[in-house]
Amino acid sequence: MARMLSKDLSDIENILALNPCVRTHATLKSTQTTKKEKKQWKRNTDKNCNSCEKLENNFDDIKHTTLSERGALREAMRCLKCADAPCQKSCPTNLDIKSFITSIANKNYYGAAKTILSDNPLGLSCGMVCPTSDLCVGGCNLYATEEGPINIGGLQQFATEIFKAMNVAQIRNLSLPPVDKMPESYHAKIALIGCGPASISCASFLARLGYTDITIFEKQQYLGGLSASEIPEFRLPYDVVNFETELMKDLGVKVIHGKGLGSNGMTLTTLQHEGYKAVFIGIGLPEPNRDNIFDGLTMDQGFYTSKDFLPLVSKASKPGMCEYQGRLPSIKGTVIVLGAGDTAFDCATSALRCGARRVFVAFRKGFNNIRAVPEEMELAKEEKCEFLPFLSPCKVIMKNGKISAVEFVRTEQDEDGNWIEDEDQVVRLKADTIISAFGSVLSDPEVKEAMKPISFNRWGLPEIDPESMQTSEPWVFAGGDIAGLANTTVESVNDGKQASWYMHKYLQSLHDAWIPSQPKLPCMYTPIDLVDISIEVAGLRFPNPFGLASAPPTTDSAMIRRAFEQGWGFAVTKTFSLDKDIVTNVSPRIVRGITSGPLYGPGQGSFLNIELISEKTAAYWCQSIRELKADFPNEVLIASIMCSYSKNDWTELAHMAESSGADALELNLSCPHGMGERGMGLACGQDPELVRNICRWVRQAVKIPFFAKLTPNVTNIVNIALAAKEGGADGVTATNTVSGLMGLRADGTPWPAVGKAKRTTYGGVSGNAIRPISLRAVSAIACAVPGFPILATGGIDSAETGLQFLQSGASALQVCSAVQNQDFTVIEDYCTGLKALLYLMSIEEFHSWDGQSPPTARHQKGKPVPKIADLFGKQLPSFGPFLEQRKKIIMEYKLKHKNETRATSVPERVIFIPQKAVPTVKDVIGRALQYIGAYGQLDQEHVVALIDEEQCINCGKCYMTCNDSGYQAIKFDPVTHIPTVNDSCTGCTLCLSVCPIIDCIKMVTRTTPYEPKRGLPLAVNPVC
């Protein structure tokens, strides 16, 4: 009996065993069975687990905030980019959070990092360690929604890490004269003492301001201060600190090691005698706040202060911090950490990595009074640290010269809110090690003596003006922990930032130089900012290729003015007509699209509008054009005009627009709704003969360039473009909106629904949804009419997509929907993004990057993962018993290498230099056309899918799409849920298209001949 062709073969049926099916009845399974089965698939920690994961010598990243590119893009798209964003008001360094998240969402990682580092020179460190829940995230408006606030710290870390990988140097402020032509006041000697966050920040801003003789004195042989010595590797690696100090050094800042206040005879007085005109003190609080009950106790007996313990851990675990990586403190048994700040929890989690079996964190107050940020506390909790509130240490018990226990008294809060110790309630806890983390102080008499003659306050710290960071001595400033104001790294950074401006004012006052009352600190600049993105089109020079389309963003001339002030290179006015053709709009008329699914808020993939042309008169627009050109002579202003098919009308309106001073005209021959019914817009633009004649009339009427705006609602847009060229047009705009019906409600009424009758009409669809249509139109015209200028529009929402249009043949880029989704300030992101994309093209080291996206490192949840197959011999998924097995393998590997003492150094920073000229915008126009052609030109070199099992999250999306929409070429293991591709793969790429993890699936060249499965033998031999 012949087999039925419409039934799957047995081997296909085996593949389909786990493929979803419609349920026809309820499923029955006992609770006992489910409890057993869930352990197989569990990814989070089992609450009933009695064994703890050993973390000894494991300093891998543990931050919840760390993001991969996929995670960063999804999170950035979720951000609302709010007006007067509260998150920014909660950031000590006043980061422009809205802008840098916009850049990340647009895959402009350089632009994001530039925004971050311009306000915070330690933006990467702060992205890793900032207590964001208490700062920016605490003000996020999405706290009011079900999905919760944005992971701002993770996004900050992601963007600055990408910039770090770019290996681009920081350069001097672009507006400064050469060093040898700077005024004498900028050559003043400036000293900063201590190379911690406050000093690095202060020195960076002073150097950006133009000061040329800046020296940091650091008593240690490593950089970074507390960031290096007291924040563990799993939260802040040393190479991050080194990267930020290298950026500072790019500006000429010098660092001298082995010198500090009170050592080698250095004092404020000696610095003054050596000619230093201003000094910044950023030495932190170098001594621990040590309770009297610990007097006489040593590390050999099992007692550490945080100032002892954390630097030892850092020196042993941070590659590059010291010339030789030492050994971790040997800690066994039970550890009690005293304190409730961030440092205490860093001590607790570090103790586990030094070998502690159990760690208790004891503190005097309750959980509601813990000073540590929730992120720190949560990490310690996850690692099975135990918390002991309401305990105050009163006695240390010794046995055989070692610590054996600690006695505590119970603390309580009285009715007045005061904390008291109840000596009747005593608790004794066994302990092998005590780590005291009760804060830090300035107590070294030599350091205090070296700081004379400045005044000290009642806490023994320098008397500081909190606004200027100035001490009692006008030439001495201070910031960070020693100023008594900063409690976090980011606050220390801001102290240095604040001090830099007032040091600048002080130094200039010595030379009677005028300084503006409003602080103006320079941004960060790199060679990328020198890239020229201007372009000449039809004899007009555009400062940059990004402009506003004739659309809602140019509804009135005041909006165009604001757009030019923000940096847009050109603008096209809202289309206007003769008074006899004036229009009045209906409402509602501009609605969100449905092409992105149930997405509410910004980031819409499309809009639909039934808005007509401008309701304002031609006289209004002509006067506005005169005003705008008077104030913005370098920006290009294009007047968009529309008439019916009348030579006299087109001649009259074109004359008016030219006389007003417009740089060029855009002939609107494409409005898809409303105007066509009047014999205008689409009614003219769909007929090549009408387009040709209108262009001839306008060419005869004016001398300035003009562009015919084409409609996509035609069979062959190239014919319309050719007609415009034949009529004398200097170029075309491709394209206008696509005619469409956006959606219907459940009762059958449309949206938008106008009036009581709830009627609608076919409107214009815009935004990213029409980008493929627009790219096709632009590339088709560019191929057919080489060198003919094209102003592209339709789905341009970033520098990356703008580059796609340029490479497809566009000369300049018009934007509308992206502004509707946000605001005019996106232009800054577009410009920095395009500059970065062009710059990276000139550097050989970036040939494997996709624009600003580096190759995806193998990761799970954004954190690098070791290739288990190399350690274990086979692949293991990351859930259930397999996850536990993975952890065990990694633990054994870490323990094996624990006691290695080796020479370490931070890899030498290599600045990537362009090996060829940075391409101009003109250089990339049409670059993609060589790859676009007829189907018959495609070759038969086939590819197949390759799945990275280490990155796979075992969702089976590739398996399902291949089964029900493809070729049943993926097997899904019922135990491990690891998908594998078999020989039936045809390289269709559906699996890659639905995979949620970037680069988890790649298409690689097929190594065996491709033989199509015909179903039945061919009746005749194929022609080709």
Side-chain angles (χ1 to χ4, degrees):
M1 180 180 175
R3 94 172 168 85
M4 294 181 66
L5 297 178
S6 59
K7 291 193 70 173
D8 289 311
L9 296 171
S10 58
D11 59 337
I12 298 296
E13 288 181 345
N14 290 335
I15 287 176
L16 296 174
L18 297 177
N19 205 46
C21 297
V22 175
R23 288 191 177 186
T24 57
H25 52 269
T27 303
L28 187 67
K29 187 183 290 185
S30 70
T31 301
Q32 182 178 3
T33 302
T34 301
K35 283 187 174 183
K36 181 179 179 181
E37 286 188 356
K38 77 171 184 178
K39 293 181 179 180
Q40 170 71 17
W41 310 107
K42 197 166 179 62
R43 289 185 182 268
N44 59 349
T45 305
D46 191 343
K47 291 182 179 179
N48 297 321
C49 177
N50 293 320
S51 62
C52 296
E53 175 190 358
K54 282 194 69 67
L55 296 169
E56 197 166 350
N57 200 38
N58 188 342
F59 289 87
D60 294 342
D61 182 3
I62 63 169
K63 299 183 295 295
H64 290 164
T65 53
T66 302
L67 294 168
S68 66
E69 184 173 24
R70 170 193 178 274
L73 289 171
R74 288 177 70 93
E75 194 70 358
M77 287 298 295
R78 200 167 67 84
C79 175
L80 300 179
K81 292 89 179 178
C82 305
D84 198 27
C87 57
Q88 297 176 188
K89 297 175 182 297
S90 306
C91 173
T93 56
N94 296 283
L95 285 188
D96 190 348
I97 295 168
K98 176 181 81 76
S99 292
F100 89 67
I101 294 182
T102 294
S103 293
I104 293 173
N106 290 338
K107 299 184 76 171
N108 176 15
Y109 307 136
Y110 170 74
K114 176 180 168 67
T115 299
I116 293 164
L117 294 168
S118 288
D119 266 310
N120 182 344
L122 283 83
L124 180 48
S125 288
C126 291
M128 291 182 165
V129 303
C130 252
T132 54
S133 63
D134 190 45
L135 299 172
C136 52
V137 172
C140 179
N141 285 329
L142 281 173
Y143 249 122
T145 65
E146 300 89 337
E147 63 266 33
I150 297 296
N151 176 4
I152 297 173
L155 290 172
Q156 182 173 326
Q157 175 186 338
F158 170 78
T160 43
E161 281 192 313
I162 297 290
F163 174 70
K164 176 172 173 279
M166 289 181 178
N167 287 309
V168 180
Q170 182 174 194
I171 61 175
R172 294 175 75 243
N173 183 355
L174 301 179
S175 65
L176 292 175
V179 172
D180 58 349
K181 294 184 178 178
M182 291 291 292
E184 181 187 350
S185 57
Y186 286 87
H187 299 296
K189 292 180 71 175
I190 303 172
L192 299 96
I193 308 172
C195 194
S199 292
I200 295 171
S201 173
C202 186
S204 296
F205 281 110
L206 287 168
R208 290 176 187 175
L209 282 163
Y211 290 94
T212 60
D213 194 352
I214 305 169
T215 305
I216 298 180
F217 297 98
E218 171 54 58
K219 69 177 180 180
Q220 303 292 349
Q221 294 304 312
Y222 54 82
L223 302 166
L226 180 147
S227 294
S229 63
E230 295 190 34
I231 301 180
E233 170 78 4
F234 50 83
R235 290 185 59 219
L236 183 59
Y238 185 71
D239 76 306
V240 169
V241 176
N242 186 71
F243 158 70
E244 291 164 338
T245 54
E246 288 297 315
L247 276 182
M248 174 192 71
K249 290 179 181 178
D250 287 342
L251 299 177
V253 176
K254 302 178 287 292
V255 180
I256 297 176
H257 291 278
K259 291 193 72 175
L261 272 181
S263 62
N264 300 318
M266 190 173 82
T267 67
L268 292 180
T269 302
T270 60
L271 288 172
Q272 193 172 35
H273 290 161
E274 290 171 14
Y276 287 95
K277 301 300 181 184
V279 173
F280 178 84
I281 303 172
I283 61 174
L285 294 176
E287 290 85 42
N289 184 15
R290 184 169 173 147
D291 199 294
N292 293 334
I293 65 169
F294 304 123
D295 287 348
L297 294 178
T298 65
M299 289 186 280
D300 291 337
Q301 294 172 309
F303 175 77
Y304 297 82
T305 67
S306 60
K307 293 285 185 182
D308 303 322
F309 180 67
L310 289 175
L312 289 173
V313 175
S314 292
K315 290 174 183 177
S317 62
K318 292 191 171 187
M321 181 174 166
C322 299
E323 184 178 355
Y324 286 91
Q325 193 168 332
R327 295 191 176 188
L328 291 169
S330 180
I331 292 183
K332 303 296 181 186
T334 301
V335 175
I336 294 178
V337 178
L338 304 173
D342 294 334
T343 301
F345 288 99
D346 281 340
C347 290
T349 49
S350 295
L352 291 170
R353 287 157 176 79
C354 294
R357 185 175 63 85
R358 298 186 72 185
V359 175
F360 295 91
V361 182
F363 41 95
R364 291 187 170 108
K365 299 179 183 179
F367 283 97
N368 293 333
N369 305 100
I370 287 180
R371 291 185 293 108
V373 294
E375 297 94 321
E376 285 271 336
M377 186 174 170
E378 191 61 31
L379 287 172
K381 180 182 174 185
E382 286 179 9
E383 296 188 347
K384 302 295 192 295
C385 294
E386 301 289 348
F387 304 152
L388 302 173
F390 305 113
L391 294 179
S392 178
C394 60
K395 184 179 181 182
V396 178
I397 310 300
M398 306 293 292
K399 187 175 182 180
N400 298 325
K402 300 281 187 180
I403 291 171
S404 66
V406 184
E407 280 190 3
F408 296 87
V409 292
R410 179 81 172 175
T411 61
E412 293 180 352
Q413 197 169 17
D414 64 22
E415 293 181 358
D416 296 326
N418 300 313
W419 287 90
I420 58 174
E421 295 182 356
D422 184 356
E423 296 182 0
D424 292 334
Q425 300 185 71
V426 179
V427 177
R428 175 181 287 197
L429 297 175
K430 291 182 178 179
D432 300 286
T433 302
I434 299 171
I435 303 173
S436 169
F438 285 149
S440 307
V441 294
L442 175 64
S443 58
D444 189 330
E446 290 187 3
V447 174
K448 284 194 158 188
E449 183 67 24
M451 292 170 70
K452 286 183 177 179
I454 65 173
S455 302
F456 289 82
N457 59 26
R458 59 193 175 97
W459 295 286
L461 301 177
E463 195 75 57
I464 301 287
D465 179 331
E467 186 63 28
S468 66
M469 310 308 295
Q470 208 163 17
T471 68
S472 57
E473 292 296 308
W475 61 285
V476 180
F477 298 75
D481 287 349
I482 197 166
L485 301 171
N487 295 316
T488 60
T489 300
V490 69
E491 289 171 337
S492 294
V493 171
N494 196 57
D495 280 0
K497 178 182 181 181
Q498 191 82 3
S500 69
W501 178 255
Y502 288 95
M503 291 173 77
H504 172 55
K505 288 188 70 173
Y506 169 76
L507 289 166
Q508 294 307 306
S509 72
L510 299 179
H511 296 261
D512 297 321
W514 178 83
I515 296 295
S517 56
Q518 185 68 28
K520 290 185 178 180
L521 288 172
C523 295
M524 182 192 79
Y525 295 100
T526 76
I528 291 174
D529 299 301
L530 301 175
V531 174
D532 180 12
I533 57 170
S534 64
I535 179 70
E536 187 171 304
V537 183
L540 300 172
R541 187 152 195 86
F542 292 67
N544 64 68
F546 298 101
L548 294 176
S550 176
T554 58
T555 293
D556 64 47
S557 54
M559 296 170 71
I560 296 176
R561 175 177 292 276
R562 285 192 282 115
F564 282 160
E565 289 170 347
Q566 297 305 316
W568 289 87
F570 70 101
V572 187
T573 69
K574 191 89 159 108
T575 301
F576 57 93
S577 66
L578 295 171
D579 287 358
K580 69 186 183 66
D581 296 318
I582 203 76
V583 302
T584 301
N585 279 303
V586 298
S587 64
R589 61 181 180 273
I590 305 175
V591 299
R592 60 178 287 273
I594 57 171
T595 52
S596 298
L599 173 67
Y600 299 94
Q604 294 298 324
S606 63
F607 291 91
L608 177 135
N609 82 87
I610 54 173
E611 181 165 284
L612 302 179
I613 61 175
S614 177
E615 295 177 323
K616 292 180 168 54
T617 64
Y620 165 88
W621 281 111
C622 289
Q623 180 180 332
S624 294
I625 290 169
R626 280 189 285 270
E627 293 174 2
L628 289 167
K629 285 308 298 178
D631 292 343
F632 299 96
N634 297 322
E635 280 70 29
V636 174
L637 186 55
I638 302 173
S640 176
I641 60 176
M642 180 189 287
C643 299
S644 59
Y645 188 67
S646 164
K647 181 177 181 179
N648 290 337
D649 288 357
W650 280 105
T651 300
E652 179 185 354
L653 192 56
H655 269 309
M656 288 178 63
E658 182 182 41
S659 300
S660 71
D663 295 298
L665 306 180
E666 183 176 85
L667 315 185
N668 189 335
L669 306 174
S670 50
C671 185
H673 48 269
M675 303 312 295
E677 300 167 18
R678 302 176 177 213
M680 305 167 76
L682 191 70
C684 299
Q686 289 181 320
D687 187 329
E689 185 62 26
L690 301 187
V691 170
R692 187 180 296 109
N693 288 338
I694 291 171
C695 289
R696 283 174 179 163
W697 299 337
V698 174
R699 181 73 291 158
Q700 293 167 6
V702 300
K703 294 181 180 180
I704 60 175
F706 70 88
F707 303 84
K709 188 168 187 177
L710 309 184
T711 174
N713 303 297
V714 291
T715 302
N716 190 343
I717 197 170
V718 171
N719 291 339
I720 309 296
L722 286 168
K725 187 174 190 296
E726 292 163 3
D730 296 274
V732 293
T733 298
T735 66
N736 210 321
T737 55
V738 177
S739 183
L741 179 66
M742 189 51 75
L744 304 172
R745 298 186 185 278
D747 63 0
T749 56
W751 183 246
V754 179
K756 293 180 180 178
K758 295 186 177 180
R759 294 186 63 82
T760 196
T761 186
Y762 299 118
V765 180
S766 65
N768 295 353
I770 70 165
R771 186 187 302 151
I773 298 169
S774 301
L775 280 169
R776 183 195 182 282
V778 169
S779 59
I781 296 168
C783 284
V785 197
F788 192 43
I790 304 170
L791 307 183
T793 184
I796 298 165
D797 69 341
S798 65
E800 184 188 52
T801 54
L803 181 62
Q804 293 177 34
F805 277 91
L806 292 170
Q807 291 171 329
S808 297
S811 307
L813 311 164
Q814 296 186 16
V815 180
C816 167
S817 294
V819 175
Q820 291 178 175
N821 267 316
Q822 193 161 333
D823 55 62
F824 288 143
T825 61
V826 293
I827 183 59
E828 177 67 14
D829 168 66
Y830 296 175
C831 290
T832 58
L834 184 58
K835 288 179 179 182
L837 289 167
L838 293 173
Y839 186 83
L840 297 186
M841 289 179 190
S842 67
I843 299 177
E844 183 63 31
E845 286 83 355
F846 294 106
H847 74 277
S848 61
W849 287 42
D850 180 15
Q852 295 192 49
S853 297
T856 305
R858 186 174 281 111
H859 71 93
Q860 287 274 338
K861 295 176 72 174
K863 299 176 179 63
V865 294
K867 195 168 184 180
I868 292 297
D870 294 343
L871 302 177
F872 185 59
K874 68 176 184 179
Q875 303 286 7
L876 293 171
S878 296
F879 59 79
F882 306 110
L883 179 59
E884 297 306 314
Q885 198 172 355
R886 288 178 73 98
K887 290 179 179 178
K888 184 178 179 182
I889 293 166
I890 294 169
M891 177 192 74
E892 291 172 350
Y893 175 80
K894 298 287 185 182
L895 283 174
K896 180 180 177 181
H897 295 278
K898 178 181 177 182
N899 292 319
E900 293 181 355
T901 301
R902 57 188 181 277
T904 67
S905 62
V906 175
E908 185 178 348
R909 182 167 174 245
V910 178
I911 302 299
F912 293 161
I913 305 296
Q915 287 85 24
K916 52 189 176 183
V918 177
T920 64
V921 174
K922 183 179 178 181
D923 293 334
V924 300
I925 291 175
R927 191 172 68 168
L929 298 179
Q930 61 182 313
Y931 305 112
I932 303 170
Y935 186 87
Q937 295 175 295
L938 306 180
D939 62 35
Q940 290 292 318
E941 182 180 318
H942 284 263
V943 295
V944 293
L946 179 66
I947 300 172
D948 187 332
E949 297 178 4
E950 292 290 348
Q951 287 206 85
C952 180
I953 62 171
N954 319 102
C955 65
K957 296 303 295 182
C958 57
Y959 165 75
M960 291 187 287
T961 196
C962 189
N963 285 342
D964 288 0
S965 301
Y967 298 87
Q968 302 83 51
I970 297 178
K971 182 180 178 182
F972 199 52
D973 189 282
V975 177
T976 65
H977 277 188
I978 292 177
T980 51
V981 180
N982 62 33
D983 292 340
S984 298
C985 178
T986 67
C988 75
T989 320
L990 257 178
C991 55
L992 183 150
S993 300
V994 301
C995 179
I997 304 299
I998 298 173
D999 287 344
C1000 181
I1001 300 178
K1002 295 182 179 179
M1003 307 308 293
V1004 298
T1005 302
R1006 189 183 186 93
T1007 57
T1008 58
Y1010 173 60
E1011 297 180 5
K1013 295 182 178 179
R1014 306 292 185 186
L1016 289 175
L1018 292 168
V1020 294
N1021 291 327
V1023 175
C1024 58

